[in-house]
Amino acid sequence: MAIDDLYQEILMDHYKNPRNKGKLHDADLEVHAKNPFCGDEVELDIIWDGGRIKDIHFVGQGCVISQASVSLLTEHVKGKTLEEIEEVIQEFSAMIRGELEKIDEDKLDELCALQGVSKFPTRIKCALLAWNTLKKVVQERKAELEGKGKVG
Amino acid sequence: MAIDDLYQEILMDHYKNPRNKGKLHDADLEVHAKNPFCGDEVELDIIWDGGRIKDIHFVGQGCVISQASVSLLTEHVKGKTLEEIEEVIQEFSAMIRGELEKIDEDKLDELCALQGVSKFPTRIKCALLAWNTLKKVVQERKAELEGKGKVG
Amino acid sequence: MEIVEKMTLNVDRIRKDFPIFDYPDNNNLTYLDNAATTQRPTQVLEEISRYYREYNANTHRGAYRNAEKATLAYEDAREKIARLINARSSREIIFVRGATEAINTAARGWGDRFVRPDDEILITEMEHHSNIVPWQMLVKRRNARLCYWAFDERNGMLEPDGLRIMLSSSTRLLALTHVSNALGTINPVKEIIHAAHARKITVLVDAAQSIPHMPVDVQDLDADMLVFSGHKLYGPTGIGVFYAKEEILNAMDPVQFGGDMIEHVDYFESTWNDLPWKFEGGTPNIAGGIGLGAAVDYVNQIGMEIISGHEKQLVQYALEKLSGVEGVRVYGPMDPDQHGSAVSFTLDRVHPHDLATWLDQHNIAIRSGHHCAQPVMRKLGVPATARISFGVYNTIQEIDRFIIALEQAKEYFSKWL
Amino acid sequence: MEIVEKMTLNVDRIRKDFPIFDYPDNNNLTYLDNAATTQRPTQVLEEISRYYREYNANTHRGAYRNAEKATLAYEDAREKIARLINARSSREIIFVRGATEAINTAARGWGDRFVRPDDEILITEMEHHSNIVPWQMLVKRRNARLCYWAFDERNGMLEPDGLRIMLSSSTRLLALTHVSNALGTINPVKEIIHAAHARKITVLVDAAQSIPHMPVDVQDLDADMLVFSGHKLYGPTGIGVFYAKEEILNAMDPVQFGGDMIEHVDYFESTWNDLPWKFEGGTPNIAGGIGLGAAVDYVNQIGMEIISGHEKQLVQYALEKLSGVEGVRVYGPMDPDQHGSAVSFTLDRVHPHDLATWLDQHNIAIRSGHHCAQPVMRKLGVPATARISFGVYNTIQEIDRFIIALEQAKEYFSKWL
Ligand SMILES: Cc1ncc(COP(=O)(O)O)c(C=O)c1O
Ligand SMILES: Cc1ncc(COP(=O)(O)O)c(C=O)c1O
């Protein structure tokens, strides 16, 4: 449990130079997530392209883990389909919770930089804050598209 | 702490043949006392004669200790002045609570039969139920008479 | 499907888990007041001690390891309780001080929100004060009405057609006890809930006297809300459970406002945290929750079916023996299948309180009084009863010892009376 | 009159009383999160254990010896608490779960009864959520108004003329913290109460952060109501105190209805038991009460003046050292005489949560977050702060260790940021 396992260089870089940060003014959707116990806040702005995320930005403040995690999230899900995103969320969450026996580096790619969080249980919520919110968003989008008969 | 220390013959006799039991229909005052934890209830009916209790009866149901105690109370305070009664109440309560070094047998007389209660803390409330009520009654009577300038 | 063998308990081994029986001053204690509170096994005490000595910290808020450990242990206990009563999720388990606080939470959080003027709250005549007074106060606040479902004083059973008579179109809630602490009656709550639901009536079950003594499955019963106390389930004092279906908890208002139950606090408005924390304002009884989790482990390890079978034998034996004592009157059902682990009785001409003192001198602890059920006493026409009640560690021999002492008490007092 | 010598504490000996510091996995723990919860000394744990192992029984109801013993121990703890805060009588001491439940009890039992439409409730901007949200909800229920007394963000002190400005003829209650958990500010509650009483305004003091750290005398302060939590005073979780003057308690309505708090229960009406039990519905946290009594004995045996003096030294040292670290910003008063045992700060460019994790790796436990005081954070313009807070067992060496680790953290993170 060395501290460097947690604060990997990639994360520090994303914290310092966050990707896709700032409001998307023509967003289809704007959702807020908040960790009531530490005050971290994140807003996700999303533009849909049918069953895909066409663009995604975030606004927020918080610790290295939560901010790097959401910055990586935006990079990782942009352009993906709802199904692909669900798969990543599932895999990523399992990694963070320490439930994966073997991490699929191909699938998670840069996200692997957050694998150290699993050894710091007090930080799991920080890493998952934006992801849990996105999970709900994706579910709702799927339901919406199904309602319109546009999915499948 | 033999059981016979508690259940003295005098008490059994008062339980079986309570003195001054039954309503006093021309009472000046009727007060109720209740032990919420065991359901024992006692009603005291009192006729005043200035600063004295002229007559006192009780109605109630309960255990040997509470009923013998109130029966003895009526015998012991009838005809006494408020000051005398306060003194007995004080002495009696101290005996029951086990706070007396030496029991004044002259003063307490038959009431000494209840001294075993001090060794049975679960029964102290039973023994004091009627006495605590009488204490308040006497205080109020004194205040009333003082208000009328009749005491002293 | 598990097959439950009709095993008998190794009570000798179980008694060794309970330090109270080894304490010299207690001198061979026969403890028959389990309906008031049970004893706690070493396993529970050690778990509490472990929390305080090894990882004591506040929950949910800390950014260091012991805080996380404490949070996990506390939330793990919640999971254990959810499994014990087969809740759909641990979000449905709210930690409170005990059954009383749970019912008060329901009356404020659900009642103040959903009970309208002239609505009826139906309770039974055999409720504990904790399942009476919160509803008396609710109906006063809401201008609603309280109604009673009567029981038959001859056998302690609810009047069979009571529900049909009592349920009206304005009945909003039925709150009733699973097992009566004053009569021992086991109520057929599953059937009752079914009938109430047919009329869209919400049902709260007071399981304070059933959870410790028999398997209880909230989904099978389809209970909307259910409450119990940890201290009657071999757990610590100051902890209990308010269970309610998730949709009910979502619709209800929280009752304790403050730290941990909020999401966002602005100057004039606040929003609430997710379930179950929405209902847990302030630092919780962390050691209590963890201890209750250990108590659940303890009963699971023995097996609730087995505990239940053991206690049924004790109840059956006690009912038989007590009925055989001349001058004894037993209240409640005489059929052990309808009788929970508490047996209420009176002995002619001997007041229950005198009897209790007499038995205490023989190191037999029983309860005397109104058992916080004054309406039951009034109905039975007695000021008080004596009550014996069983736990996993009680034995047939203890009942024998109690019966002998009871006979002696009768003899002692009849000398005089 | 006792003469209090300015003794210094033998902290080494005191640390031996706290098993947490001996537990190997805790590996030389520096515990600086005492404002969240303190550690418990062996003396408290043993007293709890003694109750469970030797005389475990329910209180107030039993007719056997252990029930009486348990009742006496529980009521004796109440006496100890009455003496600790110099209450007129133990009837003024109500056991609750903690400060949060105490404030909720005041808001329901006093507020719902006495607050009228358009009345004002005045609180300060530096309150803990537990002293904000119950009043937000009360004013909604009663159509009353909530007002805030501002503090100066530069020094964490209440605006000096705030009271004069804020108090109006419709102010009914002032609820304020004695010591702020987020800023450390010690408020001059005695003078404030005096000014409020001149206008017949009732005052509730949140003493959660003062009782464990300084002598508090309710008669000297003339506080109408005062609340605190046992777990911050070296006592168990799940127990705390609601103090109010006897005439206030008599006038208030009870809030928890059920067993033990009633005198008489009829079908539709009930009457209440005497004080303090009128407010204690249901089986109480008996072990918690007894444990809190033992905690009071523990602090008395050391001496509250001495604890207070010791902690003042720590605070003074911490304020000095922290201010010396470049990039650190300390909140709240810089004068140690106006600063309670909690010190809040931020470190430039390092988020408090990251700092806390970093320190945790060095076995230093601090708090990071909004400290359940979101309005304070908003006023300071930060999302969160880091906070260190002291107890009787902390030392100057631990502060040194913390400062060194803080410097290292700064270096570590500035490598990147
Ligand atoms: C049937 C029943 N309901 C409620 C209660 C109240 O439980 P507690 O005092 O633990 O809140 C009891 C216990 O006395 C009980 O027997
Ligand atoms: C000032 C203040 N008030 C109230 C509370 C609430 O105390 P509890 O969580 O023990 O109810 C706290 C503790 O967090 C506090 O610091």
Side-chain angles (χ1 to χ4, degrees):
Chain A
M1 286 209 296
I3 196 85
D4 293 329
D5 289 351
L6 185 62
Y7 294 109
Q8 304 222 355
E9 195 163 346
I10 299 181
L11 304 187
M12 291 304 199
D13 179 51
H14 273 264
Y15 184 65
K16 217 170 143 188
N17 309 301
R19 323 296 197 265
N20 304 308
K21 186 160 180 178
K23 285 199 72 66
L24 263 184
H25 290 286
D26 49 349
D28 297 319
L29 186 74
E30 182 188 310
V31 282
H32 293 259
K34 180 156 184 158
N35 180 344
F37 296 119
C38 67
D40 282 3
E41 288 183 57
V42 154
E43 172 187 324
L44 295 177
D45 294 356
I46 295 171
I47 298 177
W48 297 115
D49 171 15
R52 276 180 201 278
I53 285 186
K54 185 167 158 198
D55 202 0
I56 178 166
H57 270 210
F58 82 97
V59 191
Q61 52 184 350
C63 60
V64 170
I65 307 302
S66 74
Q67 299 303 298
S69 177
V70 63
S71 172
L72 280 160
L73 173 148
T74 58
E75 282 204 324
H76 215 85
V77 303
K78 200 186 287 190
K80 291 233 165 70
T81 66
L82 296 175
E83 287 71 23
E84 286 165 343
I85 295 169
E86 277 190 322
E87 219 175 293
V88 178
I89 294 175
Q90 161 111 34
E91 190 80 5
F92 177 78
S93 306
M95 174 184 79
I96 295 295
R97 294 208 182 88
E99 292 162 2
L100 286 189
E101 295 217 341
K102 216 187 136 305
I103 291 167
D104 183 340
E105 304 214 351
D106 286 345
K107 204 184 272 168
L108 290 173
D109 198 16
E110 272 202 333
L111 294 174
C112 293
L114 281 155
Q115 72 182 89
V117 173
S118 69
K119 293 181 210 129
F120 291 80
T122 60
R123 309 309 296 277
I124 290 176
K125 277 185 200 149
C126 309
L128 291 181
L129 182 62
W131 295 81
N132 286 339
T133 306
L134 186 64
K135 189 172 164 182
K136 271 193 220 144
V137 166
V138 167
Q139 279 164 357
E140 280 164 22
R141 178 70 180 170
K142 279 178 85 175
E144 188 187 332
L145 295 180
E146 268 164 29
K148 294 188 191 156
K150 277 195 197 158
V151 137
Chain B
M1 287 210 295
I3 196 86
D4 293 330
D5 289 349
L6 185 63
Y7 294 109
Q8 304 221 357
E9 195 163 347
I10 300 183
L11 304 187
M12 292 305 200
D13 178 50
H14 274 265
Y15 185 64
K16 217 172 143 186
N17 309 300
R19 323 296 199 264
N20 304 309
K21 184 160 181 178
K23 285 199 73 66
L24 263 183
H25 289 287
D26 49 351
D28 296 318
L29 185 74
E30 182 187 311
V31 281
H32 293 259
K34 181 158 183 155
N35 180 344
F37 296 120
C38 68
D40 283 2
E41 287 184 55
V42 155
E43 172 186 326
L44 295 177
D45 294 354
I46 294 173
I47 298 178
W48 298 115
D49 173 13
R52 278 179 200 278
I53 286 186
K54 186 166 156 199
D55 202 1
I56 178 166
H57 270 211
F58 82 98
V59 192
Q61 51 185 350
C63 61
V64 170
I65 307 303
S66 74
Q67 299 302 298
S69 176
V70 63
S71 171
L72 280 160
L73 173 147
T74 58
E75 282 204 323
H76 215 85
V77 304
K78 198 186 288 191
K80 291 232 165 73
T81 66
L82 296 175
E83 287 70 22
E84 287 166 343
I85 295 169
E86 277 191 321
E87 218 175 292
V88 177
I89 293 175
Q90 161 109 35
E91 190 80 5
F92 178 79
S93 305
M95 174 183 80
I96 294 295
R97 294 208 182 89
E99 292 162 2
L100 285 189
E101 295 219 341
K102 215 186 137 306
I103 291 167
D104 183 340
E105 304 217 350
D106 285 346
K107 204 185 269 168
L108 290 173
D109 197 15
E110 272 203 331
L111 294 174
C112 293
L114 281 156
Q115 72 181 92
V117 173
S118 68
K119 292 182 211 130
F120 291 79
T122 60
R123 309 309 297 276
I124 289 176
K125 277 184 199 149
C126 309
L128 291 182
L129 181 60
W131 294 81
N132 286 338
T133 307
L134 186 64
K135 189 172 165 184
K136 270 192 222 145
V137 166
V138 167
Q139 279 163 358
E140 281 164 22
R141 178 68 181 170
K142 279 179 83 174
E144 189 187 332
L145 295 180
E146 269 166 28
K148 293 188 192 156
K150 276 194 200 159
V151 136
Chain C
M1 288 285 287
E2 260 182 290
I3 293 164
V4 180
E5 284 185 70
K6 274 273 172 219
M7 268 181 53
T8 41
L9 269 181
N10 184 339
V11 183
D12 283 347
R13 212 172 52 204
I14 288 197
R15 285 180 84 85
K16 291 211 173 64
D17 292 334
F18 291 83
I20 197 105
F21 299 119
D22 281 339
Y23 183 60
D25 283 9
N26 285 329
N27 197 4
N28 209 4
L29 172 68
T30 293
Y31 184 75
L32 299 176
D33 194 17
N34 292 287
T37 199
T38 51
Q39 302 300 332
R40 301 42 160 133
T42 306
Q43 288 86 336
V44 168
L45 302 182
E46 281 180 354
E47 203 59 42
I48 296 172
S49 185
R50 200 168 300 137
Y51 161 67
Y52 282 135
R53 289 170 195 271
E54 300 180 4
Y55 61 99
N56 174 71
N58 209 323
T59 47
H60 297 132
R61 306 183 193 172
Y64 47 89
R65 277 163 288 169
N66 282 348
E68 187 64 24
K69 240 172 134 173
T71 306
L72 288 177
Y74 184 69
E75 294 302 330
D76 190 43
R78 200 192 300 276
E79 296 283 348
K80 289 174 186 173
I81 291 157
R83 284 194 298 274
L84 177 78
I85 63 172
N86 192 29
R88 276 162 220 82
S89 126
S90 64
R91 283 190 302 279
E92 298 177 326
I93 305 298
I94 313 297
F95 280 124
V96 289
R97 184 168 31 248
T100 301
E101 191 185 15
I103 298 169
N104 278 279
T105 300
R108 295 264 188 199
W110 185 88
D112 280 354
R113 174 111 191 198
F114 294 110
V115 172
R116 289 156 310 195
D118 295 323
D119 277 354
E120 279 177 19
I121 306 288
L122 178 61
I123 65 177
T124 85
E125 268 185 346
M126 64 170 84
E127 299 308 315
H128 186 281
H129 293 163
S130 295
N131 202 23
I132 300 175
V133 190
W135 308 117
Q136 287 181 344
M137 301 310 289
L138 171 66
V139 301
K140 274 186 219 270
R141 289 196 302 274
R142 306 296 301 158
N143 269 313
R145 273 176 314 194
L146 186 63
C147 306
Y148 283 84
W149 179 358
F151 69 87
D152 183 336
E153 61 268 42
R154 289 163 309 180
N155 60 13
M157 308 283 283
L158 288 172
E159 294 289 355
D161 58 355
L163 197 60
R164 192 181 47 74
I165 295 170
M166 296 303 307
L167 286 189
S168 76
S169 59
S170 52
T171 308
R172 291 287 292 154
L173 177 85
L174 166 62
L176 88 165
T177 197
H178 194 175
V179 174
S180 157
N181 70 313
L183 296 162
T185 318
I186 302 177
N187 289 316
V189 285
K190 185 173 174 179
E191 292 70 41
I192 292 170
I193 290 170
H194 189 75
H197 281 176
R199 298 195 176 219
K200 300 206 184 314
I201 289 160
T202 303
V203 184
L204 178 145
V205 176
D206 177 353
Q209 297 294 344
S210 57
I211 288 279
H213 306 292
M214 58 184 73
V216 173
D217 178 328
V218 290
Q219 292 192 59
D220 179 55
L221 297 179
D222 202 17
D224 300 302
M225 309 187 223
L226 182 139
V227 309
F228 63 96
S229 297
H231 68 94
K232 297 184 200 278
L233 181 64
Y234 313 105
T237 57
I239 194 83
V241 172
F242 173 52
Y243 159 85
K245 289 179 179 164
E246 193 162 339
E247 64 263 30
I248 291 182
L249 291 174
N250 279 326
M252 273 174 70
D253 288 321
V255 171
Q256 290 284 328
F257 305 102
D260 260 22
M261 58 72 68
I262 58 89
E263 180 191 54
H264 187 84
V265 173
D266 223 321
Y267 279 70
F268 302 102
E269 300 285 339
S270 300
T271 56
W272 314 139
N273 199 343
D274 293 334
L275 291 179
W277 307 290
K278 169 181 164 188
F279 289 94
E280 296 183 6
T283 301
N285 185 351
I286 304 168
I290 291 171
L292 182 53
V296 169
D297 285 343
Y298 184 79
V299 300
N300 281 341
Q301 174 216 315
I302 299 173
M304 192 44 98
E305 292 281 0
I306 292 179
I307 294 174
S308 183
H310 172 68
E311 292 184 17
K312 202 183 287 299
Q313 285 175 21
L314 297 177
V315 168
Q316 175 156 22
Y317 190 75
L319 287 172
E320 272 169 34
K321 286 286 169 178
L322 267 174
S323 321
V325 179
E326 213 198 294
V328 162
R329 177 156 176 210
V330 179
Y331 302 95
M334 293 307 291
D335 175 353
D337 284 332
Q338 296 175 326
H339 204 120
S341 296
V343 180
S344 244
F345 66 95
T346 48
L347 174 60
D348 260 8
R349 288 181 306 159
V350 181
H351 189 279
H353 213 160
D354 291 315
L355 179 62
T357 295
W358 209 91
L359 292 171
D360 183 32
Q361 291 305 104
H362 292 68
N363 296 310
I364 300 171
I366 73 158
R367 169 59 52 103
S368 73
H370 52 58
H371 317 295
C372 292
Q374 291 178 3
V376 173
M377 299 298 120
R378 232 162 288 136
K379 177 105 179 198
L380 299 178
V382 294
T385 72
R387 182 187 72 188
I388 55 175
S389 54
F390 306 114
V392 60
Y393 32 64
N394 290 122
T395 63
I396 294 287
Q397 292 74 38
E398 287 181 308
I399 297 177
D400 285 337
R401 207 192 318 164
F402 155 74
I403 293 286
I404 291 169
L406 178 70
E407 295 272 17
Q408 289 171 346
K410 196 175 115 182
E411 201 175 316
Y412 177 86
F413 284 105
S414 65
K415 204 170 60 203
W416 311 96
L417 304 176
Chain D
M1 287 284 290
E2 259 183 292
I3 293 164
V4 179
E5 285 185 69
K6 273 272 173 217
M7 267 181 55
T8 41
L9 269 180
N10 184 339
V11 182
D12 283 347
R13 211 171 55 204
I14 288 197
R15 284 180 85 86
K16 292 211 172 63
D17 292 335
F18 291 83
I20 197 103
F21 298 120
D22 281 340
Y23 182 61
D25 281 11
N26 284 329
N27 195 5
N28 208 4
L29 173 67
T30 293
Y31 184 75
L32 298 177
D33 194 18
N34 293 285
T37 199
T38 51
Q39 302 299 332
R40 298 51 158 124
T42 308
Q43 288 86 335
V44 168
L45 302 182
E46 281 180 354
E47 203 59 41
I48 296 171
S49 186
R50 199 168 299 137
Y51 160 67
Y52 282 135
R53 289 171 193 271
E54 300 180 5
Y55 61 98
N56 174 71
N58 209 323
T59 45
H60 298 133
R61 307 181 193 172
Y64 46 90
R65 278 164 289 168
N66 281 349
E68 187 64 24
K69 238 172 135 174
T71 306
L72 288 178
Y74 184 68
E75 294 302 329
D76 190 42
R78 200 193 300 276
E79 296 284 349
K80 288 173 187 174
I81 291 157
R83 283 194 298 273
L84 176 77
I85 63 172
N86 193 30
R88 278 161 219 82
S89 128
S90 64
R91 283 189 302 280
E92 298 178 325
I93 305 298
I94 312 297
F95 280 125
V96 289
R97 185 168 32 246
T100 301
E101 191 185 16
I103 297 170
N104 278 279
T105 300
R108 295 263 187 201
W110 184 89
D112 280 354
R113 174 113 190 195
F114 294 110
V115 173
R116 288 157 311 195
D118 295 323
D119 276 355
E120 279 177 19
I121 306 288
L122 178 61
I123 65 178
T124 85
E125 269 185 345
M126 64 170 83
E127 299 308 315
H128 187 280
H129 293 163
S130 295
N131 202 23
I132 301 176
V133 190
W135 308 117
Q136 288 181 344
M137 302 310 289
L138 171 66
V139 300
K140 275 187 217 272
R141 289 196 300 276
R142 306 295 301 156
N143 269 313
R145 273 176 314 194
L146 185 62
C147 305
Y148 283 84
W149 178 358
F151 68 87
D152 183 336
E153 61 268 42
R154 289 164 308 179
N155 60 13
M157 308 283 283
L158 288 172
E159 294 289 354
D161 59 354
L163 197 60
R164 192 179 48 72
I165 296 170
M166 297 305 306
L167 286 189
S168 75
S169 58
S170 51
T171 308
R172 291 287 293 154
L173 177 85
L174 166 63
L176 89 165
T177 195
H178 194 174
V179 175
S180 158
N181 71 313
L183 296 163
T185 318
I186 303 176
N187 288 315
V189 286
K190 186 172 174 179
E191 291 70 42
I192 293 171
I193 290 171
H194 189 76
H197 281 177
R199 300 197 175 216
K200 300 205 182 313
I201 290 159
T202 303
V203 183
L204 178 143
V205 176
D206 177 353
Q209 296 294 345
S210 58
I211 288 280
H213 306 293
M214 58 183 73
V216 173
D217 178 329
V218 290
Q219 293 193 59
D220 178 54
L221 296 180
D222 201 17
D224 300 301
M225 311 187 223
L226 182 140
V227 309
F228 64 95
S229 297
H231 68 93
K232 296 184 202 277
L233 180 65
Y234 312 105
T237 58
I239 194 83
V241 172
F242 174 51
Y243 158 85
K245 289 178 180 166
E246 193 162 341
E247 65 264 29
I248 292 182
L249 291 174
N250 279 327
M252 273 174 70
D253 289 321
V255 171
Q256 290 284 328
F257 305 102
D260 261 22
M261 59 71 68
I262 58 91
E263 179 191 54
H264 187 85
V265 174
D266 224 322
Y267 279 72
F268 302 102
E269 299 285 340
S270 300
T271 57
W272 315 137
N273 198 343
D274 293 334
L275 291 179
W277 307 290
K278 167 180 165 189
F279 289 93
E280 295 182 5
T283 301
N285 185 352
I286 304 168
I290 292 171
L292 182 52
V296 169
D297 285 344
Y298 184 78
V299 299
N300 281 339
Q301 174 216 314
I302 299 174
M304 191 45 97
E305 292 280 2
I306 291 178
I307 294 174
S308 182
H310 172 69
E311 291 183 17
K312 201 182 288 297
Q313 285 174 19
L314 297 178
V315 168
Q316 175 156 23
Y317 190 75
L319 288 172
E320 272 168 33
K321 286 286 169 176
L322 266 174
S323 322
V325 179
E326 213 198 294
V328 162
R329 177 156 176 210
V330 179
Y331 302 95
M334 291 307 291
D335 175 353
D337 284 331
Q338 296 175 326
H339 205 120
S341 297
V343 180
S344 244
F345 65 96
T346 48
L347 175 59
D348 260 6
R349 289 182 305 158
V350 180
H351 189 279
H353 213 159
D354 292 315
L355 178 62
T357 296
W358 208 90
L359 293 171
D360 183 34
Q361 290 306 104
H362 292 69
N363 295 310
I364 300 171
I366 73 157
R367 169 60 52 102
S368 73
H370 53 56
H371 317 295
C372 292
Q374 292 179 3
V376 173
M377 298 299 119
R378 232 161 291 138
K379 177 105 178 198
L380 300 178
V382 295
T385 72
R387 183 186 72 189
I388 55 175
S389 55
F390 305 113
V392 60
Y393 32 65
N394 290 122
T395 63
I396 295 286
Q397 292 73 39
E398 286 181 309
I399 298 177
D400 285 337
R401 208 191 320 164
F402 155 74
I403 294 284
I404 291 170
L406 179 71
E407 296 270 18
Q408 290 171 345
K410 197 175 114 182
E411 200 177 317
Y412 178 86
F413 285 104
S414 66
K415 205 169 60 202
W416 311 97
L417 305 176

